[in-house]
């Protein structure tokens, strides 16, 4: 009997011990989860440290070192490779629009002015220098009217376009009176005439495309009307026209209407504009007007000023045969009818057409002229097609195809139609709203790191991997603009959403050089870019391109995984950047970090240069 009692007591003790062990395990599991949730004492301390080190200027000497380092590899202790400056002859080098390379391509249909990037063995692996005397551009709005001569020392336009008031040389600056070939009395008066037909005042027209923009005075003067223009022009005999535009603080890229589709999504722009842009609109079966139609929003406007409009009066001063001009205008009118554009205005040398709001508004359109491509936004290096881009389907004759947009600025945070309609797979209304909220949080953190962001110091800003445009939306201000780049290898094609928000952007592959001059951006933001391009192309090449387009003393914000940033930081250590690593705004335990950097000021001839 005693043996039975002892056996029972043993079983009882074993059961109690099991319960104790299980209870302790549960207690420590709950304790660990509680601490990781951010309410633990250790995490409060870490958050306090992050807060104290984050609220400072990037130019300060405070410690921005990360508290959560990653493994770099066996050579992590070695010194970074020093990247030498390029030869001064490359001061204005544009790799994919290089003049010497361009001349090896056919001139037919402007092929030689399109993008032709160097092969791997011809890429430069050096730092593009700034010209001697380079200074920080004037702040906006003074920059609209004045550009330091040393930054773009080219006087040819001051002579060639003297009577047209494009640009004047005055001492150590260029002055831009706001004139143009078609508006020698100033862009404001010209825009006033357009605004008598096109609803610019109420926010209906927000995004505009300026083809063959010159020095972008049209886009510069639209800014005061809350209209943002994407301007482009080729790098040609009009030396530095796009460079002048960007020095003035106006969005612009080097580009041309040739044989390749424009790097913008369908239904992107509220208005398109050509002011004596020398594009043969009626040629090649109207293919250039068809491309404008693709990127023009239903209900959008196309403005054409200059030849051949009003040819009967102007054929003598234009020094062109009237028969040639008459045929040119007839061809344009025929293509406009084919596209079912409605002419709204023609006076003097200005004509304005409006695109119909849907296909039902134009029953006479020929079905055999519609493009067969399923994806109208698949444009990167794709040939233009001599066909009409179909409208999205509508349920009634009054409905705007693709959805009617809110006026700006309301459309900035309204739900884009591409999302609400479900046409962007993987992005719901809730996803979009959470993304907007997240980027407001990120941008607030950036402003604590760099207090100059809100000051007007950074006018031209680039987001290298823009996603849904949340970074640009959170920054929205009349002091700045953001070039939202959607990488061609991005998982989701979001550029159409960005335009529906009233922002601008472009498609690009960061394995290649961007379509701009050196030193054209004040601040570059790169979210997940290096993770995205991991094993796609060389990290160093991407960083050298960032350096090329960044102005001296410009800033960089790179957000990525800590292991990736460790590799990036090592390379920039040899690039004349001052860089610091900062913890994620949620604390040091988050593996995503922020690398902030400032490009040092240096100019050609100050240091030894490479042989390149």
């Amino acid at each position: 009997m005693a043996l039975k009692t002892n056996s029972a007591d043993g079983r009882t003790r074993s059961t109690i011990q099991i319960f104790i062990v299980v209870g302790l395990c549960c207690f420590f599991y709950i304790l660990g989860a509680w601490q990781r949730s951010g309410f633990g004492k250790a995490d409060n301390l870490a958050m306090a440290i992050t807060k104290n080190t984050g609220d400072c200027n990037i130019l300060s000497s405070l410690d921005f070192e990360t508290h959560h380092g990653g493994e770099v590899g066996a050579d992590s202790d070695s010194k970074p490779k020093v990247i030498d400056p390029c030869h001064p002859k490359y001061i204005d080098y544009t790799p994919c629009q290089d003049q010497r390379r361009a001349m090896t391509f056919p001139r037919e249909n402007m092929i030689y002015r399109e993008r032709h990037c160097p092969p791997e063995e011809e890429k430069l692996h050096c730092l593009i220098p700034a010209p001697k005397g380079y200074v920080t551009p004037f702040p906006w709005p003074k920059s609209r009217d004045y550009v330091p001569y040393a930054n773009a020392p080219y006087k040819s336009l001051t002579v060639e376009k003297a009577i047209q008031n494009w640009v004047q040389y005055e001492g150590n600056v260029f002055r831009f009176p706001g004139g143009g070939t078609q508006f020698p009395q100033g862009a404001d008066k010209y825009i006033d005439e357009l605004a008598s037909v096109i609803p610019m005042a109420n926010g209906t027209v927000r995004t505009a495309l300026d083809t063959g923009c010159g020095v972008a005075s049209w886009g510069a003067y639209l800014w005061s009307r809350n209209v943002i223009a994407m301007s482009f022009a080729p790098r040609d005999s009009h030396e530095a026209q796009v460079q002048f535009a960007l020095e003035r603080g106006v969005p612009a890229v080097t580009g041309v209407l040739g044989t390749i589709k424009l790097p913008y999504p369908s239904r992107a722009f509220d208005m398109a504009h050509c002011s004596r842009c020398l594009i043969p609109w009626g040629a090649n079966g109207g293919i250039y007007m068809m491309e404008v139609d693709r990127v023009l929003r239903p209900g959008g406007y196309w403005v054409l000023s200059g030849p051949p409009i009003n040819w009967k009066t102007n054929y003598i001063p234009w020094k062109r045969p009237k028969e040639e001009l008459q045929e040119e205008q007839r061809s344009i009118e025929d293509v406009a009818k084919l596209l079912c554009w409605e002419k709204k205005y023609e006076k003097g040398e200005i004509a304005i057409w409006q695109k119909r709001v849907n296909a039902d508004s134009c029953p006479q359109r020929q079905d055999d002229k519609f493009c067969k491509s399923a994806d109208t936004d698949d444009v990167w290096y794709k040939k233009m097609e001599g066909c009409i881009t179909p409208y999205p389907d509508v349920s009634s004759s009054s409905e705007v195809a693709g959805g009617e947009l809110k006026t700006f600025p309301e459309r900035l945070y309204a739900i884009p139609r591409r999302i609400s309609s479900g046409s962007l797979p993987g992005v719901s209304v809730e996803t979009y709203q959470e993304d907007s909220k997240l980027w407001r949080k990120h941008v607030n953190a950036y402003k604590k790191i760099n207090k100059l962001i809100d000051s007007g110091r950074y006018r031209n800003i680039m987001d290298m991997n823009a996603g849904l445009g949340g970074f640009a939306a959170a920054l929205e201000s009349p002091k700045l603009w953001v070039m939202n780049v959607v990488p061609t290898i991005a998982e989701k094609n979001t550029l159409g959403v960005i335009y529906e928000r009233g922002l601008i952007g472009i498609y690009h592959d960061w394995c290649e050089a961007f379509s701009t001059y050196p030193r054209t951006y004040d601040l570059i933001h790169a979210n997940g870019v290096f993770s995205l391009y991991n094993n796609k192309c060389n990290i160093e090449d991407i960083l050298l391109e960032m350096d090329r387009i960044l102005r001296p003393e410009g800033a960089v914000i790179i957000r990525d995984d800590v292991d990736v940033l460790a590799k990036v930081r090592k390379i920039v250590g040899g690039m004349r950047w001052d860089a610091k690593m900062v913890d994620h705004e949620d604390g040091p335990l988050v593996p995503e970090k922020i690398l902030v950097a400032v490009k040092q000021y240096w100019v050609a001839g100050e240091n030894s240069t490479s042989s390149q």
Side-chain angles (χ1 to χ4, degrees):
M1 190 71 180
L3 289 174
K4 289 182 180 180
T5 302
N6 291 339
S7 177
D9 290 341
R11 285 196 299 271
T12 301
R13 283 194 298 271
S14 297
T15 303
I16 292 171
Q17 288 172 348
I18 291 171
F19 275 115
I20 290 172
V21 171
V22 171
L24 287 172
C25 288
C26 292
F27 171 78
F28 285 113
Y29 175 83
I30 293 169
L31 178 63
W34 173 66
Q35 287 187 323
R36 284 194 299 273
S37 70
F39 295 100
K41 184 175 181 180
D43 284 277
N44 282 336
L45 179 60
M47 290 293 286
I49 293 171
T50 302
K51 182 177 180 181
N52 290 335
T53 58
D55 190 11
C56 49
N57 189 285
I58 59 174
L59 302 179
S60 74
S61 59
L62 292 179
D63 179 20
F64 278 1
E65 296 297 326
T66 179
H67 301 281
H68 184 77
E71 294 297 323
V72 180
D75 61 345
S76 60
D77 293 330
S78 62
K79 291 183 179 180
K81 180 183 75 173
V82 175
I83 301 175
D84 292 327
C86 302
H87 191 280
K89 69 181 179 181
Y90 292 109
I91 279 175
D92 289 326
Y93 182 55
T94 51
C96 296
Q97 285 102 357
D98 179 59
Q99 295 285 61
R100 291 170 297 178
R101 187 177 299 106
M103 294 305 170
T104 66
F105 289 88
R107 297 199 172 204
E108 180 186 6
N109 295 326
M110 298 294 284
I111 291 174
Y112 75 122
R113 295 297 184 197
E114 294 178 333
R115 286 176 57 86
H116 302 291
C117 300
E120 191 65 35
E121 63 273 13
E122 293 181 19
K123 287 183 178 179
L124 297 183
H125 294 281
C126 50
L127 303 173
I128 302 294
K132 289 183 179 179
Y134 179 88
V135 295
T136 301
F138 296 113
W140 184 268
K142 185 177 180 180
S143 66
R144 186 193 71 176
D145 302 328
Y146 295 96
V147 166
Y149 170 75
N151 291 11
Y154 304 106
K155 296 182 182 178
S156 60
L157 286 178
T158 65
V159 177
E160 186 179 344
K161 302 293 183 180
I163 63 172
Q164 296 167 4
N165 269 340
W166 275 35
V167 56
Q168 298 169 0
Y169 176 60
E170 298 179 355
N172 62 348
V173 299
F174 289 110
R175 186 171 73 87
F176 296 83
T181 307
Q182 287 304 124
F183 38 94
Q185 301 306 311
D188 262 335
K189 288 186 178 180
Y190 175 78
I191 294 171
D192 283 341
E193 184 173 355
L194 303 185
S196 68
V197 181
I198 301 170
M200 298 185 194
N202 63 0
T204 299
V205 169
R206 164 63 179 175
T207 55
L209 178 68
D210 193 9
T211 56
C213 64
V215 294
S217 286
W218 187 70
Y221 280 81
L222 279 174
W223 192 263
S224 63
R225 301 170 194 245
N226 218 11
V227 176
I228 185 168
M230 169 69 80
S231 303
F232 73 82
R235 180 165 187 175
D236 57 13
S237 58
H238 292 164
E239 184 64 57
Q241 53 185 334
V242 167
Q243 189 175 21
F244 278 137
L246 287 155
E247 285 293 316
R248 298 175 72 186
V250 182
V253 293
T254 51
V256 67
L257 267 172
T259 65
I260 303 298
K261 291 182 179 182
L262 294 172
Y264 314 113
S266 58
R267 310 190 312 278
F269 298 98
D270 300 308
M271 172 172 57
H273 173 258
C274 162
S275 172
R276 204 164 188 167
C277 61
L278 304 180
I279 295 171
W281 293 111
N284 298 328
I287 195 169
Y288 303 128
M289 291 176 68
M290 291 174 180
E291 179 62 2
V292 168
D293 181 76
R294 182 186 70 81
V295 301
L296 197 61
R297 199 162 279 145
Y301 297 86
W302 185 55
V303 179
L304 176 62
S305 64
I309 305 302
N310 198 19
W311 60 269
K312 292 179 182 178
T313 302
N314 292 317
Y315 73 92
I316 294 176
W318 288 341
K319 298 179 181 179
R320 291 181 59 187
K322 59 182 179 180
E323 295 80 13
E324 178 183 290
L325 288 163
Q326 182 180 17
E327 175 59 24
E328 189 176 324
Q329 179 148 359
R330 186 197 62 77
S331 298
I332 290 171
E333 300 281 5
D334 287 348
V335 177
K337 288 178 182 177
L338 180 66
L339 296 170
C340 210
W341 291 356
E342 180 185 2
K343 182 179 276 188
K344 307 293 288 187
Y345 181 86
E346 183 172 348
K347 184 178 180 181
E349 297 177 21
I350 298 175
I352 301 174
W353 286 265
Q354 185 177 19
K355 182 176 177 177
R356 305 281 184 170
V357 296
N358 58 44
D360 292 350
S361 304
C362 193
Q364 70 269 29
R365 290 179 77 168
Q366 303 171 30
D367 290 344
D368 61 340
K369 294 291 185 180
F370 286 115
C371 302
K372 308 303 181 189
S373 173
D375 186 358
T376 57
D377 295 346
D378 182 18
V379 298
W380 187 246
Y381 284 126
K382 297 296 173 61
K383 292 285 186 180
M384 280 188 204
E385 300 175 89
C387 56
I388 303 170
T389 302
Y391 284 94
D393 293 334
V394 294
S395 56
S396 70
S397 59
S398 61
E399 183 182 350
V400 178
E404 187 172 4
L405 299 182
K406 303 284 187 181
T407 57
F408 194 85
E410 188 180 354
R411 74 168 73 165
L412 187 63
Y413 282 106
I415 307 300
R417 182 59 182 271
R418 279 173 165 89
I419 291 176
S420 62
S421 66
S423 58
L424 185 59
V427 181
S428 65
V429 171
E430 293 75 18
T431 303
Y432 168 76
Q433 291 172 331
E434 284 299 316
D435 183 80
S436 295
K437 181 180 177 182
L438 178 64
W439 278 107
R440 285 194 290 268
K441 175 182 174 180
H442 286 338
V443 168
N444 284 336
Y446 294 159
K447 289 177 180 179
K448 291 178 181 179
I449 296 170
N450 182 351
K451 292 180 179 177
L452 297 179
I453 289 177
D454 262 345
S455 69
R457 165 68 178 83
Y458 306 120
R459 168 70 179 172
N460 301 1
I461 298 177
M462 174 179 284
D463 191 359
M464 295 176 67
N465 185 19
L468 297 171
F471 170 76
L475 276 179
E476 172 60 27
S477 164
K479 299 176 184 177
L480 56 85
W481 57 270
V482 179
M483 180 67 75
N484 292 282
V485 180
V486 172
T488 56
I489 65 169
E491 182 183 353
K492 296 180 178 65
N493 184 351
T494 55
L495 193 53
V497 167
I498 288 168
Y499 273 95
E500 287 185 347
R501 300 185 75 169
L503 304 169
I504 59 168
I506 194 168
Y507 293 114
H508 184 65
D509 181 358
W510 286 112
C511 290
E512 299 179 358
F514 193 72
S515 295
T516 191
Y517 282 79
R519 303 172 302 281
T520 45
Y521 286 87
D522 302 296
L523 187 152
I524 298 176
H525 177 249
N527 174 46
V529 169
F530 295 97
S531 289
L532 179 66
Y533 279 91
N534 187 35
N535 298 323
K536 302 290 192 307
C537 50
N538 194 323
I539 287 180
E540 183 179 301
D541 288 345
I542 297 176
L543 286 166
L544 285 173
E545 177 60 8
M546 292 170 68
D547 183 82
R548 184 184 75 88
I549 67 179
L550 184 66
R551 287 177 173 150
E553 299 181 307
V556 175
I557 302 173
I558 305 174
R559 179 182 288 268
D560 219 314
D561 184 81
V562 63
D563 296 327
V564 175
L565 287 185
K567 298 175 184 177
V568 170
R569 186 177 184 180
K570 183 176 180 183
I571 296 171
V572 303
M575 287 178 54
R576 305 189 183 196
W577 289 11
D578 297 321
K580 297 281 186 182
M581 195 92 86
V582 182
D583 283 322
H584 189 281
E585 54 264 28
D586 286 343
L589 301 181
V590 181
E592 182 179 271
K593 303 295 175 187
I594 304 166
L595 183 71
V596 291
V598 177
K599 180 178 176 178
Q600 297 173 10
Y601 179 90
W602 62 278
V603 298
E606 283 188 350
N607 301 84
S608 60
T609 59
S610 73
S611 59
Q612 291 184 308

